[in-house]
């Protein structure tokens, strides 16, 4: 074996360090580097500083014991099998840093060719391995497995069950997991308790060990905790973040360095149960048929500086996650719910978007400033709508956070000036509504996608118990705020483009041809046509929906159109926003709860020279984009797109569990339902007006054979011709409701109540039901069918 080349002795350069790490046959840490270059004493201290600088510059990554080139892979590391390509296993680093530049390297796994008893177990997708890695001269990566590792233990949560022999089992709370796991050590956990566990030993047969007892699985707090554990959502702030947050919160606002907008009666309109207020609006006529407006957004970038502990944690979380009983915030509460939150009557730092809206509703000009604002009123959507409509407040409460409760009904004079220089609340809102009508006219001309799909809201009492589950009402007040937010988001994107500055766009690409073909084939089963030779625009779908008079059928087509849409994401390369019918769009309006918006704010700070340095020694000085932000914008965009999807899934799973808990006392009742999906093993149905998908297993439909027609999305009886198709309305009996998994199961009711109403049919047009009583249902695991995000919420928080 040839001897390795002799290295120059003395303090190495950055490139020499990189070359040594790359060529070393063993993991190269600080000790190995110092030995290779013959460093001693003070030179070792300088090397430590050099390696720290190189890590901060994104050149290397790792620990003191083993560095590797950033974007590369350690010599020995943990990998996860993610794909199979032409028979070859493909792996990625199991703990890839989301802040690392570029995408995770993909390694081809070279399994050792052994025969007999020594042959290692075959690897498959999802397995974790400890492997040696090498980079070829072409830049490709190869992994040589050393051993197979146990499955990861994050989110291993379940219910303790004891069988007749006294053996303990962990019953899963994830509906996708079909089998219970033996418990090797249950500690102090008792039967029926919700616990978090970790695996013991290398084999799954060795079982799990209980590491935390959550308690009563049906307690109100448990549903969100299950989602947090299942999806691996970071919910405990590190000590360094909690220590830094109060220091950041004490940063003083400079009256001279900010535009003073405290004289404007800016109002924040939010959900009644909002935990934070990151946007507020104001508008007044300009005397020429148009309007001057301000969209004031919490200036989070002033407090959360690049490279700080706060910033690292915010980037890791990506966004806040909202559950009916709690919020997992992106930022500590001292910032998210206090200093950054735009509270009534309090001086707050804001990023102000000044808009001029002309008589046609188009934004003719805009500018951005760092401002000082004092919110005149925090108003709930329902209250704002009642004030504009001249009705009593629906909740019988005032518009502020507390204090007196002014009566704003028609029989009383306008509200006098309140704190914050507010003036007449009704007049403030009337001006906003007038400006919104102009914006709405421009929006109608743009013809964005209009999908008004119901959104469920869980109402809890003071003890956290379910009080009701309702469909969230869609008011003009929601549309007012949404359209102002969209206008500000567009202005932010265009303002950065004007300076050729980096932009984190909110991208929604047009539907793929494959999805359009599937939609066309589905609509054909309903007697409707979708011509694919024309340019597909949001208006095409809008016109299709407008021509449908039957509300049940319209809801069905609306959901089918939604399923044909691509999922929105973040990225630095603009591809437009199909759903909103916009060429340039960025999220700017919710930096308290979305990291994407914080990056847009930082880019605006740089592009328009709005920097306000922090005092030395407290937190990082700059509040604009860091060099690392600029270099890894694509990687960061991918990471926050993933955390957004994680949050959506966790929130949806939790709502499903609440719905199942709400229905658990109503098992045996018959409900009006609509079929939402059909598979070969049965069909899914949802309760009209409530939601909650449940499975009707095909085995419960009687003795007749049912054929699955995939194109028509239907099950068709071979003898009777009885058809169960997506969109059909029918009565079903609730057979099972499992709050722990969020799954429901339905069966057909008695034959005299089992009639089916075809989609779009009049009450007298009925199909006959399948005859005979249903077979006795066994225990079924219900799989949830994924749904893309609601397009109309992409410009506005929930």
């Amino acid at each position: 074996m040839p001897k390795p080349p002799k290295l120059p002795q003395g303090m190495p350069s950055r490139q020499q360090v990189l070359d040594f790490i790359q060529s070393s046959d063993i993991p190269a840490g600080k000790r190995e580097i110092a030995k290779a270059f013959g460093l001693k004493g003070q030179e070792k201290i300088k090397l430590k500083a050099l390696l720290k600088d190189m890590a901060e510059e994104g050149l290397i990554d790792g620990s003191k014991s083993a560095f590797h080139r950033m974007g590369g892979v350690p010599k020995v590391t943990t990998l996860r099998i993610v794909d199979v390509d032409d028979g070859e296993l493909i792996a990625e680093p199991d703990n890839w840093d989301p802040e690392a530049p570029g995408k995770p390297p993909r390694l081809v796994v070279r399994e050792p060719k052994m025969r007999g008893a020594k042959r290692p177990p075959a690897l498959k997708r999802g397995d974790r391995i400890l492997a040696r890695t090498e980079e070829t001269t072409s830049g490709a990566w190869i992994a040589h497995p050393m051993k197979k590792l146990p499955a990861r233990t994050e989110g291993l949560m379940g219910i303790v069950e004891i069988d007749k022999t006294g053996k303990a089992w962990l019953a899963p709370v994830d509906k996708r997991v079909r089998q219970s796991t033996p418990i090797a050590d249950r500690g102090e956990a008792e039967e029926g308790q919700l616990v978090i566990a970790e695996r013991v030993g290398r084999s799954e047969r060795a079982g799990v060990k209980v590491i935390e007892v959550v308690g009563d699985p049906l307690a109100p707090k448990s549903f969100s905790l299950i989602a947090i554990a299942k999806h691996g959502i970071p919910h405990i702030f590190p000590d360094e973040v909690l220590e830094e947050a109060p220091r950041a919160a004490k940063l003083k606002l400079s009256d001279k360095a900010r535009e003073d907008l405290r004289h404007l009666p800016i109002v924040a309109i939010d959900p009644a149960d909002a935990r934070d207020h990151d946007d507020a609006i104001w508008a007044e006529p300009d005397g020429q048929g148009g309007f001057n407006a301000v969209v004031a957004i919490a200036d989070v970038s002033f407090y959360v500086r690049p490279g700080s502990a706060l910033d690292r944690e915010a980037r890791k979380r990506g966004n806040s996650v909202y559950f009916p009983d709690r919020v997992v915030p992106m930022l500590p509460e001292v910032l998210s719910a206090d200093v950054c939150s735009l509270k009534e009557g309090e001086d707050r730092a804001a990023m102000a978007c000044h808009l001029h809206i002309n008589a046609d509703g188009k934004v003719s000009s805009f500018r951005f400033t760092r401002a000082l604002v004092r919110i005149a009123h925090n108003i709930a959507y329902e209250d704002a709508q009642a004030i504009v409509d001249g009705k009593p407040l629906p909740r019988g409460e005032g518009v502020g956070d507390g204090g007196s409760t002014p009566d704003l009904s028609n029989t009383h004079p306008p509200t006098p000036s309140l704190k914050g220089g507010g003036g007449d609340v009704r007049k403030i809102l009337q001006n906003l509504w007038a400006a919104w009508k102009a914006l709405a006219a421009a929006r109608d001309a743009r013809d964005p996608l209009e999908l008004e799909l119901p959104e469920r809201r869980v109402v809890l009492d003071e003890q956290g118990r379910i009080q009701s589950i309702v469909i969230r009402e869609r008011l003009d007040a929601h549309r007012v705020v949404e359209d102002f937010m969209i206008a500000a988001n567009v202005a932010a994107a265009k303002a950065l483009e004007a300076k050729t500055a980096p932009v984190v766009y909110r991208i929604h690409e047009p539907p793929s041809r494959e999805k359009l073909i599937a939609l066309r084939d589905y609509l054909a089963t309903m007697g409707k046509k979708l011509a694919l030779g024309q340019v597909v625009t949001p208006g095409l779908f809008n016109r299709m929906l407008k021509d449908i008079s039957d509300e049940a059928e319209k809801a069905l087509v609306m959901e089918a159109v939604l399923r044909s849409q691509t999922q929105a994401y973040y990225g630095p390369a603009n591809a437009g926003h199909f759903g909103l019918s916009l060429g340039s769009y960025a999220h700017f309006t919710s930096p308290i709860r979305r990291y994407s918006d914080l990056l847009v704010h930082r880019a605006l700070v740089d592009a328009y020279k709005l920097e306000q340095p922090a005092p030395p020694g407290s937190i990082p000085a700059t509040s604009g984009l860091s060099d690392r932000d600029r270099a890894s914008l694509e990687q960061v965009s991918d990471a926050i797109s993933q955390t957004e999807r994680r949050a959506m899934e966790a929130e949806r799973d939790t709502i499903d569990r609440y719905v199942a808990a709400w229905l658990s006392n109503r098992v045996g009742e018959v409900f009006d339902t609509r079929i939402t999906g059909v598979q070969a093993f049965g069909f899914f149905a949802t309760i009209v007006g409530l939601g909650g998908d449940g499975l009707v297993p095909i085995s419960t439909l009687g003795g007749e054979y049912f054929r699955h027609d995939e194109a028509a999305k239907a099950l068709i009886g071979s003898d009777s011709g009885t058809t169960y198709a997506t969109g059909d309305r029918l009565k079903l009996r609730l057979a099972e409701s499992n709050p722990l998994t969020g799954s429901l199961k339905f069966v057909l009711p008695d034959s005299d109540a089992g009639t089916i109403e075809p989609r779009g049919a009049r009450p007298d047009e009925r199909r006959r039901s399948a005859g005979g009583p249903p077979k006795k249902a066994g225990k079924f695991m219900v799989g949830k069918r994924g749904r893309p995000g609601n397009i109309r919420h992409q410009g506005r928080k929930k």
Side-chain angles (χ1 to χ4, degrees), residues 129-211:
I129 58 172
L130 183 67
R132 292 189 181 91
T133 66
E134 65 170 305
E135 186 177 13
T136 66
T137 55
S138 64
W141 285 90
I142 297 174
H144 302 280
M146 299 167 63
K147 64 178 179 179
K148 183 178 177 180
L149 300 174
R152 295 188 69 88
T153 60
E154 288 90 331
L156 196 58
M157 177 179 273
I159 309 298
V160 176
E161 292 184 346
I162 309 294
D163 64 19
K164 294 180 180 180
T165 66
K167 187 175 182 179
W169 297 83
L170 186 71
V173 293
D174 185 346
K175 66 182 77 173
R176 297 174 299 181
V177 180
R178 295 176 177 270
Q179 296 180 339
S180 296
T181 305
I183 299 178
D185 181 1
R186 63 185 174 101
E188 298 181 359
E190 299 177 359
E191 184 176 11
Q193 286 186 321
L194 179 66
V195 300
I196 299 175
E198 66 179 9
R199 297 193 183 280
V200 296
R202 298 181 179 180
S203 169
E204 293 187 9
R205 296 180 181 179
V208 298
K209 173 184 178 181
V210 173
I211 58 175

Side-chain angles (χ1 to χ4, degrees), residues 331-589:
L331 302 172
E333 188 173 348
V334 67
L335 295 175
S336 62
D338 188 9
V339 174
C340 292
S341 188
L342 302 182
K343 291 185 175 182
E344 178 178 312
E346 301 287 345
D347 287 357
R348 288 291 185 260
M351 186 75 77
C353 174
H354 297 259
L355 303 171
H356 182 261
I357 304 166
N358 65 24
D360 295 328
K362 296 182 179 178
V363 176
S364 58
S365 65
F366 53 78
R367 65 185 178 92
F368 289 87
T369 65
R370 266 182 155 160
L372 195 63
V373 299
R374 184 179 297 156
I375 302 305
H377 306 290
N378 288 119
I379 312 176
Y381 284 117
E382 297 81 1
D383 291 347
Q385 191 67 56
I387 293 169
V388 171
D389 293 342
K391 297 178 180 178
L393 297 186
R395 299 178 298 120
E397 300 173 2
V399 294
D401 286 335
S404 62
T405 304
D407 191 332
L408 300 174
S409 66
N410 280 327
T411 58
H412 289 76
T415 304
S417 176
L418 300 180
K419 61 183 178 179
D424 183 349
V425 179
R426 182 177 288 114
K427 184 63 176 176
I428 296 169
L429 295 178
Q430 286 173 344
N431 283 340
L432 283 173
W433 256 246
W436 164 66
K437 287 178 180 177
L439 286 173
R443 180 200 63 210
D444 292 342
R446 204 173 71 236
D447 204 9
L449 191 59
E450 295 288 349
L451 297 179
E452 295 293 337
L453 297 172
E455 183 182 356
R456 292 172 292 171
R457 182 169 70 92
V458 177
V459 181
L460 305 177
D461 62 18
E462 293 181 356
Q463 285 73 42
R465 296 170 302 197
I466 306 172
Q467 193 171 24
S468 63
I469 296 177
V470 299
I471 300 300
R472 197 181 295 272
E473 187 179 7
R474 179 81 166 152
L475 304 170
D476 279 349
H478 294 95
R479 297 181 178 92
V480 170
V481 176
E482 189 172 279
D483 281 343
F484 271 101
M485 297 304 112
I486 290 173
N489 287 337
V490 172
K494 290 185 175 180
L496 291 173
E497 288 173 345
K499 295 286 188 177
T500 61
V503 186
V504 176
Y505 290 99
R506 179 63 169 179
I507 301 167
H508 180 233
E509 297 182 14
S512 66
R513 182 167 179 80
E514 291 75 15
K515 288 192 174 184
L516 287 173
I517 291 173
L519 177 62
R520 180 198 63 186
D521 294 345
Y522 173 61
L523 292 174
T525 67
M526 305 172 65
K528 300 185 181 301
K529 294 183 178 180
L530 176 64
L532 298 185
Q534 58 189 313
V535 177
V536 177
T537 64
L540 174 66
F541 297 119
N542 292 338
R543 290 189 295 275
M544 179 195 305
L545 293 167
K546 188 177 181 180
D547 292 338
I548 302 174
S549 57
D550 182 84
E551 291 301 319
E553 187 175 8
K554 180 179 286 189
L556 178 65
V557 175
M558 197 177 292
E559 185 166 332
V561 170
L562 178 63
R563 291 181 186 279
S564 73
Q565 303 301 305
T566 59
Q567 191 165 31
Y569 62 94
Y570 296 104
N574 189 20
H577 198 294
F578 176 82
L580 294 175
S581 193
L582 292 167
S584 297
Y585 192 66
H587 273 168
F588 160 79
T589 54

Side-chain angles (χ1 to χ4, degrees), residues 97-99 228 231-242 245 304 308-323 326-334 336 570 591-599 636-648 650-651:
D97 184 357
E99 297 187 22
I228 289 169
H231 294 280
I233 296 173
H235 64 291
I236 298 175
F237 285 106
D239 290 341
E240 61 174 344
V241 175
L242 295 176
V304 181
S308 64
L310 281 167
D311 180 51
R312 291 193 298 271
E313 184 67 16
R315 183 181 294 206
K316 175 183 175 182
R317 296 182 177 220
N319 46 257
S320 298
V321 187
Y322 293 87
F323 299 107
R326 74 185 71 213
V327 59
V328 179
M330 186 178 77
L331 302 172
E333 188 173 348
V334 67
S336 62
Y570 296 104
I592 290 178
R593 66 186 187 92
R594 290 189 306 224
Y595 195 79
S596 59
D597 304 52
L598 179 56
L599 289 171
V636 176
S637 298
D638 289 343
I640 59 180
S641 294
Q642 292 169 12
T643 58
E644 179 193 44
R645 292 171 193 142
R646 177 181 67 185
M648 290 169 58
E651 291 168 0

